[in-house]
Amino acid sequence: MGWEPGIVSALMRLGVRLSESEEKDVFVDSITLFVTLLCGCIIIGHLLEENRWINESITALIIGLCTGGIILLISGGKYSRILEFDEELFFIYLLPPIIFNAGFQVKKKHFFRNFMTIMLFGAFGTLVSFSVISFGAKEFFEKMNIGFLDIQDYLALGAIFSATDSVCTLQVLNQDETPFLYSVVFGEGVVNDATSVVLFNAIQKFDLSQLDSKIAWQFVGHFVTLFISSTLLGMIVGLLSAYIIKKLYFGMHSTDREVALMMLMAYLSYVMAELFDLSGILTVFFCGIVMSHYTWHNITDKSQTTTKHTFATLSFIAETFIFLYVGMDALDIEKWRFVSDSPGKSVGVSTVLLSLVMLGRAAFVFPLSFLSNCTSKSKNNKIDLKQQVTIWWAGLMRGAVSMALAYNKFTRYGHTQQPGNAMMITSTITVVLFSTVVFGLLTKPLVRWLLPSSSHHSHGDSSEPSSPKSSYTLPLIAGEGDSEGRPNGNTIPRPTSLRMLLETPGNCVHYYWRKFDDAFMRPVFGGRGFGRDISGSPSSSPDEMSLH
Amino acid sequence: MGWEPGIVSALMRLGVRLSESEEKDVFVDSITLFVTLLCGCIIIGHLLEENRWINESITALIIGLCTGGIILLISGGKYSRILEFDEELFFIYLLPPIIFNAGFQVKKKHFFRNFMTIMLFGAFGTLVSFSVISFGAKEFFEKMNIGFLDIQDYLALGAIFSATDSVCTLQVLNQDETPFLYSVVFGEGVVNDATSVVLFNAIQKFDLSQLDSKIAWQFVGHFVTLFISSTLLGMIVGLLSAYIIKKLYFGMHSTDREVALMMLMAYLSYVMAELFDLSGILTVFFCGIVMSHYTWHNITDKSQTTTKHTFATLSFIAETFIFLYVGMDALDIEKWRFVSDSPGKSVGVSTVLLSLVMLGRAAFVFPLSFLSNCTSKSKNNKIDLKQQVTIWWAGLMRGAVSMALAYNKFTRYGHTQQPGNAMMITSTITVVLFSTVVFGLLTKPLVRWLLPSSSHHSHGDSSEPSSPKSSYTLPLIAGEGDSEGRPNGNTIPRPTSLRMLLETPGNCVHYYWRKFDDAFMRPVFGGRGFGRDISGSPSSSPDEMSLH
């Protein structure tokens, strides 16, 4: 490998430099090492792509662990990480590109068709999981005589361990083969991230030591307001970007300015949400959806290709960076020193938390699937047991969001001084490492066993015209991801009977939304068929390309 | 303007927040404000594109000044800037994308054909300018009774004010209409930046108070070593990226990984140079050239479009950010308080420096042009007076590099405590603002007057087959930017006589380089015709697209 000498020399320099403690040089050293490791992760990840077990997250995590070990050896057991885990770095720079790209590349057709299922799993499911973990942690930890946690800490633990990390599963699921499963796992992941962060912030803010119904209702009200206003802000910024690019750039396109404006306005939506104490994750996700529906159709072909791949690349780099960092941070000696006095207790805590994570997820995936199956009349919409297990499994991994929230709650200025807090941090690291590596290694074989790619589980897919539902659903949602285009919306048939309207209120809403979209939104904000006067091959949506 | 309410509310919040001094919120506020202003600059810059006087640098500078003024009013005269001017931010994050993009998009054909002229103006010219400014400043400032500067300070001033900023001129010059002028101004700008930074660092390092011949020779040796090793490092990293992508990705392309790897390795070359105390500017510039010559031909069509525009966009954003920042920083009240006691002296210092800048540049542009005209036998290669004036004018602007070096020399931790240092900082700001705004406003009319676009000054251009030089230069340099492609290099004719070889040693070197390139480099590292097995339309170089 050509890059290994670079790592070794950088590490050797690092060992020398740390004793000299020249701050600026250590900074450049760290960046060099990190960039080198990122390159290594990409190359090795590419080489291992066909491997049966490993995926890119695990590669980055293991490379991070190894590097941490080497630094630990070179520095004589003093250091394992070279950059402090910085919440600011994570929430301000690394998370926004990942979530924005998620919104930008999601197959909107499937996302909105399964919107209710996604919200049920993502928002309500996370609340169930949160309750199970909080309550379970309180019961077990009090029995284990870990008495330094108060009610707020238990609730925070619930929120921390409700944040799933479905990146690993999404790398295995195929968006084309299992569109329903993909959109549910994907959508649930995003809504879940947002829900956990919002929950966590709400817990930090409210004094929940005397929980009465008034405070509970305030809490719920706060939660709902945050949810709706964050979504609205994202949509407004997205529409603004579409409007600006459509109005200003008419007949006078400039690729670099278009790309720059899209990148900056996407980021603007996130920091504005943070500024107004909203959920930046939700805001930037919906900004991504609106941008891919309107703005993306107003820019040149070159800009379309560039934005599509740039956003995916930035997201990819940020993801790799996070896993690499979590791996390097795991060996930090300072945290482990506190828990080395009571290793049994530490292992117990991690085991309890891991079991609660599995239990908490089972507590909503199977009942909600059963509920969903009962209300669904079409046989096509039923979620069979194998799919339920896949959904359950997809949310068992815990990742960077859990880490960031745990650091926020249990450390001050990056250091873990209290033994109790140190134990919570090490337990979080243990759960994250174990779930990502062990569950992650099992994901590829499990998914292949549960969902053999030969039998296409095209659940609810529009390619099955046999069901009564899809006979009119198809035209309603066509034109979003299909190649035929839809220059004017007059070809949409109206629902023909009241019975059909009552049976499928979601589709009815969708139908009127499409009418509104064609009559008002697209002419104003652009979109497919309205964006540019440049003719040529019909442009497809950014969600039509695969992620890698 | 849709974004104005955003600015106003952000500013109002900022005014409130600063008194509360919540550090994290101020940080998010600053980012929001900066991103909003960047969007504003892009939109206004686009609207003013057809304007006779204004260009994007001036737009950003003026918006920065206005915002600084508004913040000054809101904060009651306490603050004008919201982010400290941070050398680290500038040299680690903002400068690399600009310089890399310069190397990536430069028309290599013209750059290498005029290589000697560029080096003469860029390296030797900068040394002349440095000597004139250092010596002149010493003479004048000692007469003006500003007695707090030592010899090292005068030399530093020489290096600081030798760093030109040709962004403004390049926005006006047309790469296709005046390829010779463009490549000279552009190439000189890059070499000049590198030379000034290397000079500045060398001055900081060497004890030049007792200047004898031994130290002078050590200084020259250090300078040359730095220059060569920086160039080599950039080329090695560039070739490594080409090799990795060619070997690993054969038949199995992944757009996001390719783009990520190119971005990361380009940045890696810069931070490695900084790590080894080399000139990152030179390294990343040559890495850009090598990547556009080899690596870029090894990746997919989509990756090619994406990298081309992503690098250009990042560079564009970084440039706008710098000018915006310089504008906001200029009104910072703290610095001006120190010089308000002696306004006359401050104006005097700025006037002297500005005159020395103009004199120092004239002192090498006109003599070197004369020298170049004497040695050049072809009439086509002569630089006429109008072109000389254009070259002279193009390097009069002073920009972000001067600012960053001045801050490095005359401040400690972002604060200017000593009155003498404060005066040097304010003088630098005055020179930067005056030269960018006043000279910048005059550039468009001046260039249009000196070089009317109807009479194509295609100096040394290959489209003129009348000259004896171009009759064999054309095939030697063809295939680099021409659309015909050159799958195998066997069609290149050899120079037919010894006379021609002696007359044009540069072209001879170029000829053997091309043979070596075709026989060894391209088969190993890829490149046009060797990169991919994917057939299709012949891919052109990234330097063929216009920058905006």
Side-chain angles (χ1 to χ4, degrees), chain A residues 239-511:
Chain A
L239 287 176
L240 192 65
S241 77
Y243 188 77
I244 288 174
I245 288 178
K246 184 162 187 281
K247 282 291 155 192
L248 285 182
Y249 288 56
F250 189 79
M252 185 165 85
H253 286 281
S254 157
T255 297
D256 296 343
R257 286 211 193 88
E258 285 173 354
V259 176
L261 210 53
M262 277 182 79
M263 286 169 84
L264 289 172
M265 289 199 75
Y267 192 62
L268 186 63
S269 77
Y270 186 85
V271 286
M272 274 177 78
E274 293 292 311
L275 189 70
F276 301 138
D277 289 324
L278 302 176
S279 163
I281 294 179
L282 268 179
T283 303
V284 81
F285 178 72
F286 278 97
C287 183
I289 288 182
V290 170
M291 276 201 177
S292 83
H293 191 68
Y294 297 109
T295 319
W296 196 76
H297 293 281
N298 298 345
I299 57 179
T300 62
D301 290 336
K302 281 181 180 173
S303 303
Q304 291 185 340
T305 311
T306 306
T307 47
K308 228 161 58 172
H309 291 290
T310 305
F311 293 143
T313 304
L314 292 178
S315 164
F316 174 61
I317 293 176
E319 257 169 38
T320 313
F321 188 95
I322 289 172
F323 281 106
L324 195 57
Y325 185 79
V326 170
M328 288 181 81
D329 189 66
L331 285 180
D332 182 49
I333 206 76
E334 190 198 336
K335 290 188 285 285
W336 295 100
R337 204 170 288 147
F338 286 105
V339 294
S340 57
D341 304 330
S342 50
K345 206 177 253 181
S346 182
V347 172
V349 168
S350 304
T351 315
V352 166
L353 285 172
L354 205 60
S355 316
L356 285 173
V357 162
M358 297 175 82
L359 187 70
R361 190 157 178 85
F364 75 87
V365 168
F366 299 108
L368 287 183
S369 300
F370 180 75
L371 208 73
S372 172
N373 285 348
C374 285
T375 54
S376 168
K377 266 150 198 154
S378 154
K379 205 186 171 186
N380 251 351
N381 272 346
K382 299 228 187 285
I383 307 171
D384 66 29
L385 192 64
K386 281 183 177 180
Q387 290 179 322
Q388 292 179 23
V389 173
T390 309
I391 294 173
W392 173 71
W393 185 267
L396 288 185
M397 271 71 82
R398 293 296 173 270
V401 174
S402 297
M403 289 282 286
L405 293 180
Y407 270 97
N408 181 298
K409 176 71 191 171
F410 294 112
T411 64
R412 286 284 167 274
Y413 311 111
H415 292 279
T416 39
Q417 299 300 350
Q418 279 183 289
N421 287 354
M423 186 175 283
M424 287 301 124
I425 295 283
T426 52
S427 305
T428 310
I429 292 172
T430 311
V431 171
V432 167
L433 282 186
F434 186 86
S435 64
T436 306
V437 174
V438 178
F439 293 171
L441 284 174
L442 294 172
T443 299
K444 269 192 190 181
L446 188 81
V447 168
R448 276 179 202 169
W449 178 65
L450 286 172
L451 312 163
S453 62
S454 54
S455 68
H456 287 256
H457 284 261
S458 50
H459 182 107
D461 193 43
S462 54
S463 60
E464 290 176 343
S466 60
S467 72
K469 180 175 170 258
S470 55
S471 63
Y472 67 91
T473 304
L474 182 59
L476 285 181
I477 46 82
E480 192 63 55
D482 304 279
S483 55
E484 67 226 42
R486 200 181 38 137
N488 46 14
N490 303 328
T491 53
I492 301 177
R494 298 202 68 219
T496 46
S497 76
L498 191 63
R499 194 188 57 79
M500 285 165 86
L501 279 178
L502 287 173
E503 217 173 85
T504 54
N507 284 320
C508 179
V509 169
H510 199 144
Y511 166 78

Side-chain angles (χ1 to χ4, degrees), chain A residues 13 29 35-36 43 46-47 49 56 88 248 252 255-257 264 268 275 302 306 309-310 312 547, chain B residues 13 27 29 35-36 43 46-47 49 56 248 252 255-257 264 268 275 302 306 309-310 312 547:
Chain A
R13 290 178 65 88
D29 281 356
V35 175
T36 313
I43 295 166
H46 185 80
L47 289 173
E49 195 169 63
E56 245 144 8
E88 190 182 288
L248 285 182
M252 185 165 85
T255 297
D256 296 343
R257 286 211 193 88
L264 289 172
L268 186 63
L275 189 70
K302 281 181 180 173
T306 306
H309 291 290
T310 305
L547 272 165
Chain B
R13 288 177 67 89
F27 182 69
D29 280 357
V35 176
T36 314
I43 295 166
H46 186 79
L47 289 173
E49 195 169 61
E56 245 145 9
L248 285 181
M252 185 164 87
T255 298
D256 296 343
R257 285 208 195 91
L264 289 172
L268 185 63
L275 189 69
K302 280 181 180 174
T306 305
H309 291 289
T310 305
L547 271 165

Side-chain angles (χ1 to χ4, degrees), chain B residues 83-135:
Chain B
L83 289 174
E84 292 281 320
F85 188 96
D86 195 348
E87 272 178 79
E88 190 181 289
L89 179 76
F90 178 73
F91 279 110
I92 301 283
Y93 301 112
L94 296 175
L95 201 55
I98 297 175
I99 306 289
F100 176 77
N101 186 55
F104 197 70
Q105 317 265 6
V106 71
K107 278 195 190 258
K108 295 187 294 297
K109 181 167 68 169
H110 294 291
F111 182 79
F112 284 109
R113 198 193 293 171
N114 303 311
F115 192 71
M116 285 316 291
T117 317
I118 287 168
M119 290 307 288
L120 207 64
F121 278 91
F124 184 70
T126 305
L127 289 175
V128 171
S129 170
F130 160 72
S131 313
V132 169
I133 295 170
S134 298
F135 186 75

Side-chain angles (χ1 to χ4, degrees), chain B residues 55 149 179 183 188 337 358 370 412 438 447 474 510 530:
Chain B
N55 60 50
L149 299 171
S183 68
E188 193 224 308
R337 205 170 285 145
M358 297 175 82
F370 179 74
R412 287 284 168 276
V438 177
V447 169
L474 183 60
H510 200 144
F530 284 92

